Amino acid sequence: MDEKALHDEQRLMRMMRKTLTSIVRDTAPRDGNPSPLTEATVLGIKDCLMVISSRETELAQLTGRTLDERPHFTDETPTSHAVKISSIPKKTH
């Protein structure tokens, strides 16, 4: 598979996972009401999410990506500290 096809499939897997989880979130029981989804539908959704997760793992391995990638926020404290070389005084011998 070429790189574009892998990227397109990764995008498709991400879209399907987000859509399924949105459906589950939107149909979650509230205020003691029973779930509108049947047990078979819930199991089907779980199976689909497991297949999507497995394929996302395979695609990550094929593209050399790691699965521990996490988003970084602009106000997050950095784990490293950059020092400007110009701020280091020169040694005189």
Side-chain angles (χ1 to χ4, degrees):
M1 253 186 177
D2 67 341
E3 196 70 27
K4 182 180 178 344
L6 289 175
H7 177 70
D8 289 345
E9 190 175 352
Q10 285 175 324
R11 195 169 137 253
L12 177 65
M13 291 292 121
R14 189 171 38 252
M15 288 169 49
M16 289 190 320
R17 180 177 32 87
K18 286 182 178 185
T19 300
L20 279 175
T21 54
S22 291
I23 291 168
V24 169
R25 194 175 310 113
D26 291 347
T27 60
R30 291 184 177 80
D31 303 326
N33 295 329
S35 174
L37 303 176
T38 65
E39 187 64 32
T41 301
V42 171
L43 290 175
I45 290 172
K46 286 180 182 180
D47 290 342
C48 286
L49 289 172
M50 286 176 41
V51 169
I52 291 168
S53 177
S54 295
R55 185 59 183 153
E56 284 179 324
T57 301
E58 291 171 1
L59 290 171
Q61 291 170 348
L62 287 172
T63 58
R65 240 188 46 220
T66 61
L67 295 175
D68 60 350
E69 296 173 351
R70 299 286 181 251
H72 297 283
F73 299 99
T74 56
D75 62 344
E76 184 177 327
T77 306
T79 57
S80 62
H81 179 69
V83 177
K84 290 185 180 181
I85 293 177
S86 61
S87 68
I88 301 173
K90 292 183 179 181
K91 287 187 178 179
T92 55
H93 295 274

